[in-house]
Amino acid sequence: MANNPIVNIFKIKELRSRLFFTFVIFVVFRLGCVLTIPGIDASALIAYFDDLVKQNKNAFASYMDFFAGGAFSNFSVFMLGVMPYVSTQIILQLALIIFPTLKRIVQEDGGQRKFAAWTRIGTVFVCLIQSFAMTFYADSIPGAVIIDGFAFKALAVLTVTTGAMITVWLGDLITEYGVGNGISMLIFAGIVARLPKAVADLGNGISKHTINPVFVVVVLLMFVAIIALVVFEQRGERRIPVNYAKRIVGKKMYGGQKTYIPFKINPSGVIPVIFASSFLTFPLQIVSSIGNNQSMPRWVSKLSVFLTPTGLWYNVLLVLLIIFFAYFYTQVTLNPTEIAKQIRENGGSIPGIRTDKAEEYMQKVLNRLVLPGSLYLALIAVLPVLIQNIFEFPQSIAMLMGGTSLLILVGVDLDTMSQIEAVMKTHHVDGLVKKGSLRSHRL
């Protein structure tokens, strides 16, 4: 037990406090996911969604519940989760590229604080739009709304918007005082909260002979294999060697060392999947919420069918957006121009590459890594639809046995483990693996 990594974690007061704080925030988050907003009859919701599940027409609600941990079908105060915040971040980051003036403002002193403030203000507007669309969805559920007219809409919009902003605040608290990235951890918690129900549904399906046990074994083996591949892909990296020339400063000689620049197989990690999913969630919720209303134009209903999460066109858009955000995020976080500039300023060079060609060379390497990495992410992201259509699994089970959920679970878990490892190293304690660190695989 002396070298048990779990025991070592709780020996460190800082880590122990951070883990306890994160756990408390998770409890608060889960409580908010089951508290139904005022003016809604919870029993009518249960009956309505149970009927949808029996008719296999629960695609939209299951998709929304996937990110919010069941909060959407509960019509809870946290039913929007952190997705409005992520959607706003994407819109503003795209705006920084389109409008150079905004980028210069953000790069100035205090610019990051301004950007954070813009993101929160924008999140409020996105929440207002999504929560207002949600009221139309609630009106379409028989007996769900027990407060008529404008009073319900005003109360629901105010409650849900406030709940979404509280969720973002909880994520910020985790980032500052807890473990891991707060926003990602809340998405992670929502997915994990759906696992017990998925396992129960799987057991019921097997007992009722609606799911073939052989298919279950096949899918579980695929699940384990994909986890191994995702871990390998997340930890794999391409190392570009860099040699630094010797420099004499005063009476001392510096430099003359050999190092490398690590480029991961998938430099953007799981971010493209989260960005693509949240980017599609915004229009999906609006058109699906108002599409059930009979007073809306017919094209709205057609658009809601077009954006069905299990449909062809939705998954085509998802794949294209994952590839786009993989390139986009990689260029934002790993700018070859800035890296080449830093190498030149420090007297470094890449063996076999001219100094003025370093930027072009690194861009070529990144392009060769990003394309297969993004295609790999996209393939895993559409895996639930394939499992659902080929093996006839229920959507609630298929979404949690592969695809976006699997990528987020593994990606967030690896990032959190790396952060815990870093804290343990500073306290000279053995890490979570035998050799004390989560090693990357060199390609």
Side-chain angles (χ1 to χ4, degrees), residues 58-134:
N58 201 32
F60 167 64
S62 294
Y63 180 83
M64 296 300 298
D65 276 340
F66 162 70
F67 291 107
F72 183 83
S73 58
N74 292 331
F75 272 70
S76 71
V77 293
F78 289 169
M79 67 182 300
L80 295 182
V82 294
M83 284 305 160
Y85 178 78
V86 179
S87 300
T88 306
Q89 272 192 324
I90 298 168
I91 294 170
L92 289 180
Q93 286 184 357
L94 290 172
L96 292 181
I97 296 177
I98 298 172
F99 303 105
T101 305
L102 291 178
K103 187 176 182 179
R104 286 195 296 269
I105 294 174
V106 172
Q107 291 174 342
E108 295 174 355
D109 290 338
Q112 290 299 324
R113 287 195 298 272
K114 291 180 180 178
F115 183 78
W118 295 343
T119 305
R120 280 163 175 74
I121 293 171
T123 302
V124 172
F125 284 103
V126 172
C127 289
L128 289 172
I129 296 172
Q130 287 187 274
S131 57
F132 184 70
M134 178 274 304

